[in-house]
């Protein structure tokens, strides 16, 4: 597996007409995950660019967009780790968010304009009594300002152009929703949910159900799949601490920690790397599994499935 090093030669400085031009560092093969603690105001695309520049990485991508007004965990995959992005995106997520009662906005957060208001404020007992209706598999209409595509166009682009955006309700899974604190005008919640759930829609629908309206005033993501706050690195750590990038880089296989690992011998690893299936031997070898990954000598070889005792590779890694 490639490691981030500090052995990059200093770029020569070129002076021309009183201006200094330093060529960009040469792009490198860097493989692994960086779990960025994204600050408020930064877009997910900008966050990827920052991490990619810090590592001079050839290839990078993020696992799940985090709105500019939200802070918290944004897992960013480098190099071969981009092949494991679906395993992170399909994982459960956790959020802490604050709802400001008394007004509904067109974006369901503080960025939008107020479209309705109310003088009513909810009592804590009314809020907690409502929460069971918002847990389990529920039907949720995404916010108009969302990345969902309508006839090839993003919903938020259509909404910004003044078009009437109508999105269909869809099932989402909310594993847990609880009150952290309540101060009359605002209530802070913790939520654990599955892929495709919009926290802004939870806030909007809570406000409507309570008859007081509401929108998200603060949103922070605290877990994505196998990654938690303990894995996170800040922009300052990556930019300012000499060993920050090396400490922040997690192995590619970290993203696979929630599925079974199958250790294979060298010959089997060579077959998997060629895209060929391998019959798993041994009394305890699994017979069927939809998602597993193979390692050999501690090195990630492939992700795949097991069908009738055979490991079928889906993605092969070059580490």
């Amino acid at each position: 597996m490639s490691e981030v090093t500090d052995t990059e030669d200093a770029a020569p400085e070129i002076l021309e007409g009183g201006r200094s031009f330093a060529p960009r560092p040469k792009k490198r093969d860097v493989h692994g995950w960086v779990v960025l603690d994204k600050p408020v105001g930064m877009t997910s695309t900008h966050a990827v660019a920052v991490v990619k520049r810090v590592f001079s990485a050839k290839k990078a991508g993020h696992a799940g967009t985090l709105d500019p007004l939200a802070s918290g965990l944004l897992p960013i995959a480098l190099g071969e780790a981009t092949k494991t992005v679906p395993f992170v995106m399909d994982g459960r997520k956790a959020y802490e968010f604050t709802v400001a009662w008394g007004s509904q906005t067109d974006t369901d957060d503080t960025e939008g304009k107020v479209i309705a208001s109310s003088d009513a404020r909810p009592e804590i007992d009314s809020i907690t009594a409502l929460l069971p209706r918002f847990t389990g598999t529920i039907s949720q209409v995404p916010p108009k300002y969302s990345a969902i595509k309508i006839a090839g166009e993003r919903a938020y682009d259509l909404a910004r152009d003044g078009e009437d955006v109508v999105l269909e309700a869809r099932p989402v899974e909310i594993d847990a929703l609880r009150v952290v604190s309540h101060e009359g005008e605002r209530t802070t919640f913790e939520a654990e949910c599955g892929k495709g759930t919009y926290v802004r829609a939870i806030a909007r629908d809570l406000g409507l159900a309570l008859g007081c309206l509401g929108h998200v005033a603060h949103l922070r993501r605290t877990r994505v799949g196998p990654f938690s706050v303990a894995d996170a690195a800040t922009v300052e750590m990556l930019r300012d601490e000499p060993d920050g990038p090396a400490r922040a880089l997690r192995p590619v296989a970290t993203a696979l920690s929630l599925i079974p690992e199958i250790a294979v011998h060298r010959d089997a690893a060579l077959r998997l790397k060629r895209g060929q299936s391998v019959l798993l031997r041994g009394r305890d070898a699994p017979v069927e599994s939809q998602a597993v990954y193979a390692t050999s000598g501690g090195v990630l070889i492939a992700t795949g499935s097991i069908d009738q005792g055979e490991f079928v590779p889906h993605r092969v890694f070059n580490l």
Side-chain angles (χ1 to χ4, degrees):
M1 178 182 197
S2 298
E3 297 288 341
V4 176
T5 68
D6 294 322
T7 57
E8 190 87 7
D9 293 334
E13 188 175 4
I14 302 172
L15 298 177
E16 183 179 312
R19 298 176 62 190
S20 175
F21 296 92
R24 293 181 178 180
K26 186 178 179 181
K27 298 295 184 184
R28 297 179 292 175
D29 288 318
V30 182
H31 309 300
W33 282 92
V34 174
V35 185
L36 186 69
D37 191 342
K38 187 188 82 63
V40 171
M42 177 180 280
T43 67
S44 298
T45 301
H46 185 198
V48 171
V50 168
V51 172
K52 192 175 180 182
R53 190 180 307 122
V54 165
F55 286 88
S56 298
K58 289 181 178 178
K59 187 177 182 181
H62 63 73
T65 301
L66 196 56
D67 291 341
L69 290 182
S71 66
L73 304 192
L74 180 67
I76 296 174
L78 301 176
E80 290 291 280
T82 56
K83 297 177 180 177
T84 64
V85 165
F87 293 93
V88 177
M89 291 191 67
D90 290 343
R92 316 305 284 182
K93 301 176 180 65
Y95 297 90
E96 180 180 288
F97 64 101
T98 299
V99 180
W101 306 114
S103 60
Q104 182 178 356
T105 68
D106 57 358
T107 59
D108 299 316
D109 61 18
T110 57
E111 190 175 32
K113 64 181 180 182
V114 175
I115 57 175
S117 58
S118 169
D119 293 330
R121 297 293 181 269
E123 298 293 334
I124 181 64
D125 290 344
S126 300
I127 298 171
T128 54
L130 188 62
L131 297 186
R133 283 173 47 187
F134 284 80
T135 55
T137 301
I138 67 170
S139 182
Q140 183 185 76
V141 178
K144 290 192 299 183
Y145 285 80
S146 62
I148 292 174
K149 287 189 175 181
I150 302 174
E153 300 287 338
R154 298 287 187 189
Y156 54 65
D157 286 333
L158 296 173
R160 287 170 184 150
D161 289 342
E163 296 192 26
D164 186 19
V165 175
V166 179
L167 295 170
E168 298 292 329
R170 58 184 187 173
V172 298
E173 293 182 3
I174 301 176
D175 301 322
L177 180 61
R178 51 186 169 268
V179 173
V180 175
S181 63
H182 175 67
E183 299 175 353
E185 296 287 329
R186 296 186 174 209
T187 305
T188 296
F189 300 85
E190 287 180 339
E192 298 175 16
C193 50
K195 183 180 179 181
T197 304
Y198 280 90
V199 173
R200 287 180 289 146
I202 297 175
R204 175 201 63 203
D205 294 341
L206 281 170
L208 290 170
L210 291 164
C212 61
L213 306 178
H215 62 272
V216 168
H218 161 81
L219 174 61
R220 178 169 174 76
R221 189 155 67 187
T222 56
R223 182 164 64 85
V224 184
F227 298 121
S228 67
V229 172
D231 301 306
T234 63
V235 173
E236 291 75 18
M237 171 183 166
L238 295 175
R239 284 176 170 167
D240 303 335
E241 298 182 19
D243 64 343
R247 288 193 291 119
L249 190 65
R250 308 282 170 183
V252 175
T254 308
L256 308 173
S257 61
L258 299 181
I259 63 174
E261 175 185 358
I262 307 293
V264 299
H265 294 295
R266 183 173 177 273
D267 290 345
L270 291 175
R271 284 183 58 85
L272 291 175
K273 278 184 167 293
R274 291 195 294 266
Q276 299 171 327
S277 299
V278 169
L279 181 63
L280 300 177
R281 302 183 184 280
R283 185 176 58 185
D284 299 327
V287 178
E288 301 285 343
S289 183
Q290 292 186 339
V292 292
Y293 70 101
T295 60
S296 181
V299 177
L300 177 62
I301 303 299
T303 56
S305 58
I306 298 177
D307 182 19
Q308 297 182 3
E310 277 196 336
F311 188 113
V312 182
H314 297 173
R315 301 300 301 265
V316 174
F317 295 85
N318 299 307
L319 297 171

